[in-house]
Amino acid sequence: MGEAVRVPVLIVGGGPVGLALAVDLGWRNVPCLVVEQGDGEVVDAKMFATGIRTVEFCRRWGIAEKVRHWGFPEDFPFDNVFVTSLNGHEIGRIPMPALQDIPPFPTSPEGFAHCPQFVFDPILAEKARTLPSVTLRYHTQLTSFRDTGDGVTAELLDLKSGQREEVRADYLVGCDGIGSTVRKELGIEMRGTGLINHSFNVMFRVPELWNRHNKGKAGRYVIVGEEGTWASLTPADGKDLWRLMIHGELDTDPDTVDPETELRRAIGNDTQFEIVKFGHWLRRHLVADSYGRGRVLLAGDAVHVMPPNGGLGMNTGLGDSVDLGWKLAAIYDGWGGEHLIESYEAERRPVGIRQCDEAMENFQRYGSRKPVPHVTDETPDGARVRTELGKRLSSANSQAWENPLNTHLGYRYEDSPIVVPDGPLPPEPEDSRHYTQTSHPGCRAPHAWLQDGRSTLDLFGTGFTLIRLPDAPNSDAIAEAFRSRGVPLNITYIDDPAIAALYVRKLVLVRPDGHVAWRGDLPPSDAVALADRVRGALPPGPAAAEEPVDDANAAVGVLADSA
């Protein structure tokens, strides 16, 4: 091996989470190297649902249009239909509009997207290649690494040439999935339910399958037998490519599952098909004890694995990437404090637990393979069973499938050491479809349309943003404090009563990831202490009064006293 290659950030794993981190870093002009032992080709549709927050991130990176309009027919209806087979009985239906018929959301400039992984990953990779500071290397394996305290030394193996090389990075981020080599080397455990069931994906082709049955086009057909919900069928491209996801049992032997037999059972007749790929995976519910150690960090499935019900796994991982991206950039640019990276786990691990629990609830609503005797019987008793089951399944699953905005937008960093709270947050709604925007510190800053046609979300990203609303006091002290610490700060005045009412306070400080860091009606008593808190220069500790306060600025007074 020759002289070590030097790079600020080494990313291990070139799936959607690793690529998203590279895009976010590259968008911030931070040099990074992504190594992926595969060839980057994606055939399987491991995920379809691109969440609304993920599409907001894509908007920031300039790729939202491609994610929303990649070629899936926009008039294709997305009903969720419960059936005994495509040519069997319809049990229940949750009507859902086609993409072109979904009305705009008042809480976001974007919406949910149907973008399977074999489309989404290449869009991210294409964007990454346009960013001068990003390098993608496929057929490259991480063989070892060591944290030296002031950096990470890693050994890489080129799987084609057999050559080895040493890379010296400031930080290494393992985005290498459930079997993460990086996490295992760190000795970090995953806890939860290690095996819920065995599951299988069958990617297959049938042109216009909807013409081979009478259930019509749908975004998902959930297939129920006497053993319970045993499979779901989803259109991948809206034309001829489909995915059948088969739910096995805890003790299912993968060698006994015949994809052709399962496909014929799901379709319910002798329709001819072409199997493109058949794969086996384990349904799990796990969260890592830690999101990294020292200069080695973890993201995505390397730290949280959940049932795919509700489409939360990849989207949670993208949130990890964006949280890490701005913090690593802050350190690279010299203004990030020595405790900034510590806030990554404090913020994202609770979100990982939240989303894993929500996905598990979705799986249980879905049926969890509970037996349903007589569901296929051609008898009055069978008809009664189907009617009752259809009502239950449709009611229970509406919460997971009908735009669960709070699940995707409502997570908050209320216990973050780099957020200055000003009182208790409103309670989480019981129904995940109900989301109320709030400017409480730790929450995603609210969306509203500006007079020039932009969203307020378009103001956030490159640095901190101080929103000044009508009657806001002088903010020169804040500007000077951030300037003295080298922290990028954009100050924007918005003269709009509706936005002022939405943001509540006259001054609202928003982080580079779009979450509120602090708010107040008066400047903080110590603006330098505020700057140091939100950039991670102060050790974790009480940043605000423990009890609710009438004046949000009292929180910063306590912060200054403790600094």
Side-chain angles (χ1 to χ4, degrees):
M1 290 187 294
E3 185 177 349
V5 174
R6 300 191 67 86
V7 65
V9 183
L10 172 62
I11 301 168
V12 180
V17 175
L19 289 171
L21 177 56
V23 168
D24 200 68
L25 289 171
W27 184 70
R28 300 179 189 282
N29 298 314
V30 178
C32 63
L33 168 64
V34 181
V35 295
E36 165 58 46
Q37 60 186 6
D39 60 7
E41 294 296 318
V42 182
V43 177
D44 203 355
K46 297 179 182 178
M47 68 87 184
F48 288 110
T50 309
I52 189 169
R53 186 61 173 150
T54 294
V55 183
E56 289 180 353
F57 297 147
C58 292
R59 178 188 182 91
R60 167 185 296 182
W61 301 327
I63 57 175
E65 189 74 13
K66 290 183 178 180
V67 169
R68 284 188 272 106
H69 305 296
W70 59 271
F72 193 91
E74 307 239 337
D75 61 352
F76 198 101
F78 271 84
D79 290 7
N80 291 279
V81 187
F82 301 90
V83 298
T84 56
S85 74
L86 293 186
N87 282 281
H89 295 281
E90 180 172 322
I91 298 172
R93 183 179 291 257
I94 303 174
M96 300 283 286
L99 294 172
Q100 66 184 20
D101 299 325
I102 299 174
F105 292 100
T107 54
S108 177
E110 298 293 343
F112 294 87
H114 179 86
C115 190
Q117 192 169 349
F118 62 80
V119 175
F120 189 65
D121 281 20
I123 290 174
L124 287 173
E126 179 186 26
K127 179 64 180 180
R129 291 189 182 97
T130 69
L131 299 167
S133 66
V134 176
T135 302
L136 303 182
R137 287 181 51 185
Y138 294 97
H139 303 289
T140 303
Q141 182 180 42
L142 173 76
T143 57
S144 66
F145 66 88
R146 67 182 187 278
D147 186 338
T148 59
D150 60 348
V152 180
T153 300
E155 183 180 272
L156 305 180
L157 171 65
D158 186 313
L159 296 174
K160 283 190 170 181
S161 68
Q163 291 186 336
R164 296 178 183 271
E165 70 174 307
E166 190 173 88
V167 172
R168 179 72 175 168
D170 295 329
Y171 288 90
L172 183 154
V173 186
C175 304
D176 48 345
I178 177 60
S180 174
T181 299
V182 178
R183 187 192 68 245
K184 291 176 181 176
E185 184 66 23
L186 292 175
I188 295 173
E189 296 291 330
M190 298 277 278
R191 300 190 190 278
T193 306
L195 176 59
I196 298 170
N197 67 16
H198 291 262
S199 295
F200 307 85
N201 282 358
V202 187
M203 296 297 297
F204 69 99
R205 293 190 185 277
V206 177
E208 298 183 349
L209 178 58
W210 53 85
N211 288 329
R212 315 297 178 92
H213 60 82
N214 64 359
K215 307 301 183 296
K217 295 179 181 179
R220 182 188 288 108
Y221 305 91
V222 180
I223 308 171
V224 183
E226 294 210 354
E227 74 272 46
T229 301
W230 68 271
S232 64
L233 178 62
T234 310
D237 63 1
K239 299 165 187 172
D240 66 353
L241 186 62
W242 307 80
R243 183 192 70 188
L244 180 71
M245 182 187 292
I246 304 163
H247 317 316
E249 303 281 5
L250 282 169
D251 57 355
T252 298
D253 180 352
D255 292 335
T256 66
V257 177
D258 177 17
E260 293 189 6
T261 300
E262 301 299 324
L263 267 175
R264 291 193 184 97
R265 183 186 176 197
I267 296 172
N269 64 18
D270 60 356
T271 292
Q272 297 299 302
F273 48 76
E274 173 198 353
I275 294 179
V276 177
K277 185 176 181 180
F278 175 58
H280 166 235
W281 53 280
L282 303 178
R283 195 177 301 257
R284 295 162 161 155
H285 174 214
L286 297 166
V287 179
D289 287 345
S290 175
Y291 273 37
R293 289 197 179 129
R295 289 179 173 265
V296 182
L297 306 162
L298 300 162
D301 283 359
V303 283
H304 47 70
V305 181
M306 61 197 77
N309 307 82
L312 303 180
M314 185 277 294
N315 292 293
T316 305
L318 264 286
D320 298 341
S321 294
V322 171
D323 191 90
L324 257 185
W326 78 268
K327 293 171 181 175
L328 290 170
I331 292 169
Y332 173 76
D333 290 336
W335 57 266
E338 62 177 309
H339 300 286
L340 183 59
I341 286 298
E342 296 172 27
S343 70
Y344 168 61
E345 179 173 322
E347 292 184 347
R348 293 304 301 174
R349 189 169 182 273
V351 176
I353 294 170
R354 174 190 192 258
Q355 305 302 69
C356 279
D357 289 347
E358 177 74 13
M360 193 64 184
E361 288 182 18
N362 290 339
F363 177 62
Q364 290 165 345
R365 295 184 188 111
Y366 190 62
S368 292
R369 197 76 166 188
K370 297 174 183 176
V372 191
H374 311 298
V375 72
T376 59
D377 289 0
E378 302 287 348
T379 64
D381 193 38
R384 178 188 57 77
V385 168
R386 289 190 291 273
T387 298
E388 293 176 355
L389 178 64
K391 290 179 180 178
R392 290 201 307 272
L393 288 174
S394 298
S395 175
N397 287 283
S398 292
Q399 184 165 332
W401 294 338
E402 290 182 358
N403 302 323
L405 289 170
N406 193 65
T407 300
H408 288 266
L409 300 178
Y411 60 84
R412 53 262 192 113
Y413 303 142
E414 54 193 302
D415 295 322
S416 171
I418 59 170
V419 164
V420 184
D422 62 3
L425 286 162
E428 288 257 28
E430 293 184 4
D431 191 323
S432 62
R433 294 169 292 187
H434 298 160
Y435 168 65
T436 301
Q437 298 196 99
T438 174
S439 69
H440 270 83
C443 297
R444 163 190 169 274
H447 153 74
W449 290 112
L450 301 168
Q451 292 181 356
D452 61 7
R454 291 180 300 163
S455 165
T456 50
L457 272 58
D458 297 330
L459 302 174
F460 314 137
T462 56
F464 280 82
T465 301
L466 181 65
I467 301 293
R468 300 182 69 248
L469 294 151
D471 300 321
N474 186 289
S475 56
D476 289 351
I478 298 176
E480 174 58 26
F482 276 66
R483 188 201 62 76
S484 71
R485 294 300 197 243
V487 181
L489 177 69
N490 300 309
I491 299 177
T492 299
Y493 178 71
I494 300 177
D495 186 11
D496 186 315
I499 296 178
L502 181 63
Y503 272 72
V504 181
R505 305 293 184 187
K506 296 173 183 177
L507 295 169
V508 180
L509 180 67
V510 182
R511 309 183 331 179
D513 62 348
H515 282 253
V516 176
W518 167 87
R519 64 179 183 171
D521 288 324
L522 298 172
S525 57
D526 187 339
V528 172
L530 172 62
D532 283 345
R533 174 61 65 190
V534 300
R535 72 184 183 93
L538 302 180
E546 296 295 329
E547 298 298 323
V549 292
D550 293 330
D551 180 4
N553 301 281
V556 178
V558 176
L559 180 153
D561 293 340
S562 65

